[in-house]
Amino acid sequence: MSGELGKAFARAKARGEGALVAYAMAGDPDLPRSVDVFAAMVEGGADVLEIGVAFSDPIADGPVIQAASERALKAGANLRRVLDEVVPEVRRRCPETPLVIMTYVNVVMALGEERYAKLARERGIVGTILPDLPPEESAGIRAAFDREGMDLIPLCAPTTPPARAEAIAKDARGFVYCVSVAGVTGMRSELPPDLSQRLDLVRRAASVPVVAGFGISNAETARTLVAHADGVVVGSALVRAAYTDGPGAARRLCADIKQGLKR
Amino acid sequence: MTTDTAVGRFGRYGGRYVPETLVPALLELEEAYAKAQQDTGFGDEVTRVLREFVGRPTTLTPAHRLTESWGGAQVWLKREDLAHTGAHKINNTVGQVLLARRMGKKRIIAETGAGQHGVATATACALFGLPCEVFMGALDVERQALNVFRMRALGAVVRPVESGSRTLKDAMNEAMRVWVSQVQDTYYVIGSAAGPHPYPTIVRDFQSVIGREIRAQTLAALGRLPDAIIACVGGGSNAIGALHPFIPDTAVRLVGVEAAGHGLQSGQHGASLTLGTEGVLHGSRSLVLQDEHGQIQEAHSISAGLDYPGVGPELAHLAKTGRMEVRTATDDEALAAFYEVARTEGILPALETSHAFAAARSLARDMGKGQHLIINCSGRGDKDVATISARGVPPATGVKS
Ligand SMILES: Cc1ncc(COP(=O)(O)O)c(C=O)c1O
């Protein structure tokens, strides 16, 4: 199992901050320029990078990330090219930042679970998030990932009953990704009132860090969550900023959210 | 929690590959369905509505002139086109909407390709007084105008989906996304024997009324089971419904017909059993049309109901194990079959169904005289008249002009 993720969370904690897990879509608007976005997010203070690999049928994603997937696919971003052309470049420019891939199970299955884990690990990926792979279906992939030292990061939802949430947390690798809203990825003006209780419950059960994600787009929300989570994931807001105003906008948004994450 | 073969598998296929948010809803559905199955009151109610409202049993019609013209097996038509709303889809929506009501769900969503499932869902919702939203690819909204009108007339909201190929697969993505956001009070009526467990089982069970009737009707008419049953395959619900009750009867040939679109070599088809590879789409592991990178390819068929790059997991299993034979028919073959059936039997079949007819001719000939072939007439062709007539109508037969 990778210690890199744990160390990144510990470094943020030692500075008195929650960790920022920053998501962008590899290949949006094209492969080289998406590398600039990832590097800019780290300059802005991102502690962990989540590299999105596009899938044609992204059922867990809202309109912003759906549109980014379509652009990335048009630009020729597929898992193989992301591993060969994007990940090594990001690694070179951000050597201290742990890299995680987020994609859909079919994309990994098409390459082969073992082959993916091996290739990704060699190029510097430490964890993978597959939003359409619930625990019941994950045994095979997780075993393959474990053998290669790749964390399969589990998700926990607002609809997950407490006992199931505890089981997911106890068993987790890397960190637990707590989905804040019942819904798809995207910015929200409000988060559910019981989110903090759920985060507390998952955190008590987990031996790895716990982050909240989906719907977080600004420093205010980050500030309210950092008392209950080890960090936050920001996706759609960064994807939109990078697409409309370029890497600099993504850097500024990261810096702003980092302010909110100060304890 | 981490078992290797989860519930809801058909051999290697099936499963439940969905966001964690939906898993509790699928577990709830699985449990509610199991309870409903044990409750004879539920089964009786479904049967009663199918009889009183849908018009079941649908007839089994001997197709004398097709039999004569093809010169092979005796051909019979299982008339799902005579079910209320004009297709087999209503068998499933009546069952699922009754289940939703039992579960106390407040609203219904559905996806639709040809619009038949959307109409069937809107109809069941009207009958039981539930609000209904139907997601439909924008391209399908254009080519199935009649069904869009029917859904709206029945009080449903039709939501055109602009993403991806703007067809059935995108409508299903969108329905799933909306379901994730409203899962607490919303029931998602899936229209084919596809999707995450337990849908492939639920849809198959509700559609199996077709095969059970075929069994009873052939036993009554022939004193024995038929020799072969053929059905078109989109997601696979009319096929699995007609074929499932015969799986143990190994003497009965089970045949599925996929859309070959512009031809299997053209890359533009919907033949996922024939040319698909193993993958995960819309929550289940099955055979799908995809590229080497796991990106789902756009399907093509003249019929919106077969324009889908996946197939239900149970049919994938039946095809891979050889229990079901898989054939294909192109757009042109389906169109030719449409007119052939119209002019020899007085029936305008749906374009989906026309694929089954197109492949049935050679099957009937192979089988030969003395054998009995059942063609599942999944639906009627009214919804397709705009598509078909746009290509020009062949001149009248046997009349001097
Ligand atoms: C008349 C008719 N037949 C067949 C199909 C294909 O669906 P399935 O394979 O689920 O029966 C459809 C789908 O819309 C349809 O409307």
Side-chain angles (χ1 to χ4, degrees):
Chain A
M1 258 35 45
S2 96
E4 276 185 61
L5 282 168
K7 279 186 210 143
F9 279 92
R11 278 198 301 270
K13 193 174 176 184
R15 291 193 304 264
E17 297 166 359
L20 171 59
V21 180
Y23 173 99
M25 178 66 74
D28 176 30
D30 56 38
L31 278 77
R33 280 191 285 171
S34 68
V35 173
D36 296 338
V37 174
F38 289 112
M41 296 195 304
V42 170
E43 281 165 31
D47 300 284
V48 175
L49 286 178
E50 217 184 283
I51 300 179
V53 177
F55 178 50
S56 50
D57 295 76
I59 55 172
D61 284 303
V64 172
I65 293 181
Q66 268 183 67
S69 326
E70 288 189 19
R71 293 192 295 268
L73 288 172
K74 277 213 186 82
N78 54 51
L79 180 56
R80 216 31 240 244
R81 287 192 66 192
V82 171
L83 290 177
D84 290 347
E85 298 171 39
V86 176
V87 173
E89 245 335 85
V90 175
R91 187 86 268 217
R92 191 180 66 74
R93 286 169 65 177
C94 318
E96 304 294 314
T97 312
L99 310 181
V100 167
I101 278 189
M102 174 146 172
T103 189
Y104 286 80
V105 63
N106 196 53
V107 171
V108 167
M109 274 177 48
L111 186 59
E113 295 147 14
E114 313 247 346
R115 194 149 157 249
Y116 163 73
K118 188 164 183 300
L119 273 176
R121 200 61 190 107
E122 278 168 15
R123 286 167 180 51
I125 300 291
V126 297
T128 302
I129 303 168
L130 300 171
D132 58 344
L133 189 73
E136 286 84 351
E137 304 291 352
S138 71
I141 288 195
R142 197 162 96 147
F145 283 15
D146 280 353
R147 281 193 292 278
E148 294 292 340
M150 160 82 65
D151 290 337
L152 176 64
I153 293 154
L155 294 105
C156 195
T159 51
T160 309
R164 184 178 165 92
E166 274 170 10
I168 291 173
K170 277 210 182 79
D171 229 18
R173 307 275 198 270
F175 57 86
V176 185
Y177 190 141
C178 270
V179 174
S180 56
V181 290
V184 290
T185 56
M187 296 157 275
R188 304 286 197 292
S189 50
E190 254 178 73
L191 293 178
D194 60 346
L195 177 58
S196 49
Q197 273 159 278
R198 267 191 295 111
L199 286 167
D200 293 342
L201 172 120
V202 172
R203 226 169 161 197
R204 275 195 303 275
S207 53
V208 290
V210 174
V211 305
F214 280 39
I216 299 155
S217 60
N218 57 41
E220 279 66 45
T221 325
R223 187 169 295 124
T224 60
L225 288 174
V226 76
H228 305 276
D230 301 294
V232 298
V233 185
V234 180
S236 295
L238 285 167
V239 168
R240 169 174 291 179
Y243 181 65
T244 46
D245 297 312
R251 187 188 64 234
R252 287 189 293 277
L253 183 55
C254 281
D256 186 39
I257 292 168
K258 269 313 267 192
Q259 284 301 316
L261 287 169
K262 288 215 160 74
R263 291 203 172 93
Chain B
M1 184 170 293
T2 45
T3 51
D4 204 15
T5 24
V7 284
R9 291 274 171 178
F10 305 95
R12 308 173 51 76
Y13 305 114
R16 186 184 279 149
Y17 296 86
V18 293
E20 168 64 20
T21 307
L22 292 181
V23 175
L26 291 167
L27 294 170
E28 181 197 356
L29 175 58
E30 188 178 14
E31 197 186 313
Y33 180 60
K35 281 211 186 107
Q37 272 180 307
Q38 279 151 24
D39 176 355
T40 49
F42 179 74
D44 290 348
E45 188 172 15
V46 173
T47 306
R48 181 181 57 78
V49 177
L50 290 180
R51 187 182 64 241
E52 294 176 353
F53 181 71
V54 174
R56 302 209 71 90
T58 58
T59 58
L60 185 70
T61 307
H64 298 298
R65 297 192 62 222
L66 272 183
T67 302
E68 195 184 324
S69 128
W70 289 353
Q74 160 86 50
V75 179
W76 299 81
L77 310 180
K78 178 57 175 166
R79 301 292 304 280
E80 292 305 295
D81 58 319
L82 295 181
H84 177 47
T85 69
H88 66 291
K89 298 283 180 187
I90 190 84
N91 303 327
N92 169 49
T93 60
V94 160
Q96 284 200 53
V97 173
L98 280 172
L99 189 58
R101 198 178 62 170
R102 235 179 111 95
M103 292 170 76
K105 298 293 175 182
K106 298 279 178 284
R107 60 194 276 265
I108 300 289
I109 59 169
E111 87 294 338
T112 196
Q116 284 305 120
H117 173 61
V119 168
T121 308
T123 300
C125 286
L127 185 65
F128 301 119
L130 284 166
C132 176
E133 272 172 65
V134 183
F135 297 87
M136 187 171 189
L139 179 65
D140 293 336
V141 169
E142 281 165 33
R143 55 181 174 174
Q144 307 285 179
L146 173 64
N147 276 342
V148 173
F149 167 76
R150 293 167 79 198
M151 287 181 267
R152 290 188 172 141
L154 289 159
V157 172
V158 178
R159 301 211 183 277
V161 175
E162 297 286 351
S163 56
S165 55
R166 303 159 78 235
T167 61
L168 180 54
K169 104 178 154 69
D170 311 287
M172 199 154 173
N173 288 335
E174 195 57 24
M176 288 211 165
R177 287 186 196 111
V178 169
W179 195 35
V180 180
S181 319
Q182 301 166 356
V183 63
Q184 249 94 5
D185 64 348
T186 302
Y187 185 102
Y188 176 19
V189 181
I190 291 187
S192 196
H197 175 70
Y199 283 103
T201 301
I202 293 179
V203 177
R204 176 254 278 156
D205 290 353
F206 287 135
Q207 290 294 1
S208 290
V209 66
I210 305 172
R212 287 195 303 271
E213 286 177 9
I214 293 176
R215 174 179 288 271
Q217 288 166 325
T218 46
L219 284 175
L222 309 170
R224 65 178 185 89
L225 296 182
D227 300 289
I229 306 171
I230 189 167
C232 67
V233 176
S237 70
N238 87 90
I240 197 69
L243 305 181
H244 189 268
F246 296 91
I247 292 173
D249 305 297
T250 47
V252 182
R253 284 171 75 177
L254 308 180
V255 186
V257 186
E258 301 194 289
H262 295 317
L264 292 179
Q265 275 78 46
S266 70
Q268 290 182 294
H269 54 76
S272 35
L273 290 169
T274 308
L275 293 176
T277 52
E278 192 170 312
V280 169
L281 176 64
H282 297 143
S284 59
R285 180 192 290 239
S286 187
L287 294 168
V288 297
L289 300 178
Q290 57 181 329
D291 69 13
E292 61 187 302
H293 303 292
Q295 306 298 342
I296 307 302
Q297 282 167 336
E298 290 180 11
H300 165 80
S301 170
I302 188 171
S303 77
L306 304 186
D307 198 348
Y308 182 62
V311 63
E314 189 166 7
L315 284 187
H317 179 61
L318 291 178
K320 278 286 169 187
T321 54
R323 180 64 189 97
M324 180 175 73
E325 302 163 39
V326 181
R327 301 190 174 210
T328 62
T330 63
D331 288 355
D332 289 345
E333 288 164 345
L335 268 175
F338 170 85
Y339 285 110
E340 182 179 25
V341 176
R343 291 171 181 207
T344 49
E345 293 295 341
I347 292 169
L348 304 188
L351 276 175
E352 291 81 5
T353 311
S354 301
H355 286 73
F357 277 106
R361 174 208 284 260
S362 61
L363 177 62
R365 287 187 178 158
D366 293 349
M367 290 169 69
K369 291 200 171 37
Q371 300 243 310
H372 292 271
L373 166 64
I374 315 288
I375 302 174
N376 194 36
C377 282
S378 57
R380 65 181 188 217
D382 308 39
K383 69 185 172 59
D384 298 315
V385 292
T387 307
I388 298 170
S389 65
R391 296 175 176 233
V393 183
T397 40
V399 182
K400 284 206 185 96
S401 53

